[in-house]
Amino acid sequence: MKIKQLGVSLASLLVAVLLSGCAEENETIKIGATVGPHAQVVESVAKQAKEEGIDVEVVEFSDYISPNAGLADGSLDLNSYQHQPFLDNFNQNHDSELVSIGRSILMRMGIYSDKVDNIEALATGAQIAIPNDPTNAGRALLLLEDAGLITLADNVGFKATLQDVQSNPKQLEFVEVEAAQLPRSLQDVDAAAITMNYVMSSGLDPSEQGIFLESKNAPLAVMVVAARKDDQDNPTYQRLLALFQSDNTRQFLQDTFNGTIEPAF
C-alpha cells in the first residue's frame, strides 16, 4: 500500500514539473517600444513569434525613459527602440545593467537636397541646414565630415559644435534649424542634415533626395534589442532576436518603410 502511494506521489510530482515547464514555455514576453516605427517592427516580430509558440505582448511608450525603466525593474522582458549610446547613458545615470543582445533596425541621418543630386555638386558658399539641438547638431557635423565637406577638431565626437570646425574648403554656410523643421528648410537652403524620423514624417525619399547617408555602422543609426544583463543568454530571448533579424522582418521593413528604415543585420 505504501509502495503504491509512493508511486502516485512520484507521478503527481512528474505531472507538476511538466506543467510548470509548459507554463514557463508559454509565458508572455513583454517587449517595450516607442509608438510608431519601433512598435510596428515589434508587432511584426510578435506575429512571427506566435507561429513559433511564443506569446509576445507589445507595450508602447510615448517617451524614451520608460522603456528602459520598465526593463530595469522587471516589468518588461526586452525593449527595442534605442541605439547603444542612449542605452549606455541610461545605465550610467540610473545605475542599471541593461545590455544589447543584438541589432534590429537602422535609422540613418542623411544629407538631403532638392537642388543637387550628389554631395560633390554642392557649390562654394552653399547653405547647409543642421539641427539646432546639441546632440543632433554634433551628429550632423560628423556626417558632414564623413562626407568630406569639413574637418573637425580631434576627438570631439558627437559633442562637436560649429566652433569645432577646423576646415571648411567650400566655405559652406551653416544654418541652425529646429530638427522638425529641417525638411521644410530644403526649399530655402542647398542641403540639410535630417534624422530619419523627420525624413519619414515629411515624406522625403532617401533614394531620391538623399545625397549622403550615415554609415550602416554609425553608433547613433543602429538600433538594438535590449535585455537585463542576467537575462542576455535567455534561450527564448535569443529566439526572438533571431526573429528581429529574420528574412520575414527584412521583407516587412522593405514593404512598410520603403528604404527609410533598413535592416541593421
Side-chain angles (χ1 to χ4, degrees):
M1 186 68 174
K2 288 183 179 179
I3 294 175
K4 183 177 181 181
Q5 287 176 338
L6 179 60
V8 171
S9 298
L10 287 173
S12 299
L13 179 61
L14 180 59
V15 170
V17 169
L18 290 173
L19 289 175
S20 174
C22 290
E24 186 175 340
E25 180 71 19
N26 294 328
E27 181 182 359
T28 298
I29 307 300
K30 294 184 178 181
I31 305 181
T34 48
V35 294
H38 291 292
Q40 288 177 265
V41 173
V42 180
E43 289 282 4
S44 172
V45 169
K47 290 178 181 178
Q48 296 177 59
K50 190 72 172 176
E51 296 177 0
E52 294 198 7
I54 304 173
D55 291 327
V56 171
E57 177 184 347
V58 184
V59 184
E60 297 190 13
F61 296 89
S62 57
D63 70 281
Y64 295 104
I65 299 300
S66 296
N68 275 340
L71 184 57
D73 69 22
S75 57
L76 296 174
D77 300 298
L78 299 169
N79 69 40
S80 178
Y81 78 104
Q82 65 192 316
H83 47 60
Q84 187 67 51
F86 187 90
L87 179 60
D88 293 341
N89 187 65
F90 181 89
N91 282 333
Q92 182 177 352
N93 291 333
H94 296 83
D95 194 28
S96 57
E97 289 189 308
L98 307 181
V99 298
S100 163
I101 63 170
R103 295 176 167 215
S104 55
I105 59 175
L106 277 176
M107 298 185 73
R108 297 196 275 177
M109 176 181 266
I111 302 172
Y112 290 80
S113 178
D114 284 338
K115 298 179 180 175
V116 298
D117 294 329
N118 59 75
I119 200 77
E120 292 80 11
L122 286 170
T124 298
Q127 285 191 320
I128 311 295
I130 64 172
N132 65 359
D133 61 285
T135 299
N136 284 316
R139 185 179 180 182
L141 291 170
L142 282 176
L143 181 60
L144 291 164
E145 182 177 50
D146 288 343
L149 295 175
I150 61 173
T151 58
L152 297 169
D154 292 340
N155 302 317
V156 291
F158 295 111
K159 295 182 179 179
T161 68
L162 288 173
Q163 285 66 47
D164 294 310
V165 176
Q166 299 289 289
S167 67
N168 180 7
K170 287 193 172 184
Q171 300 176 0
L172 302 173
E173 179 184 345
F174 301 105
V175 183
E176 295 180 279
V177 177
E178 183 182 349
Q181 301 302 318
L182 283 164
R184 293 183 182 180
S185 76
L186 288 179
Q187 58 189 324
D188 301 314
V189 299
D190 296 289
I194 309 174
T195 54
M196 191 55 72
N197 55 325
Y198 293 121
V199 169
M200 294 177 63
S201 61
S202 65
L204 293 176
D205 186 340
S207 65
E208 294 292 331
Q209 295 152 291
I211 59 174
F212 192 84
L213 296 177
E214 275 180 324
S215 160
K216 290 187 176 183
N217 291 312
L220 298 187
V222 178
M223 304 295 129
V224 300
V225 180
R228 289 178 294 279
K229 185 176 182 179
D230 290 345
D231 295 330
Q232 61 184 328
D233 296 321
N234 179 301
T236 302
Y237 298 174
Q238 290 297 322
R239 286 172 65 191
L240 288 169
L241 175 63
L243 297 180
F244 271 99
Q245 300 177 346
S246 69
D247 288 340
N248 284 340
T249 298
R250 185 184 298 275
Q251 190 62 52
F252 170 80
L253 295 176
Q254 178 59 42
D255 294 343
T256 306
F257 301 111
N258 195 31
T260 54
I261 293 180
E262 305 166 89
F265 46 90

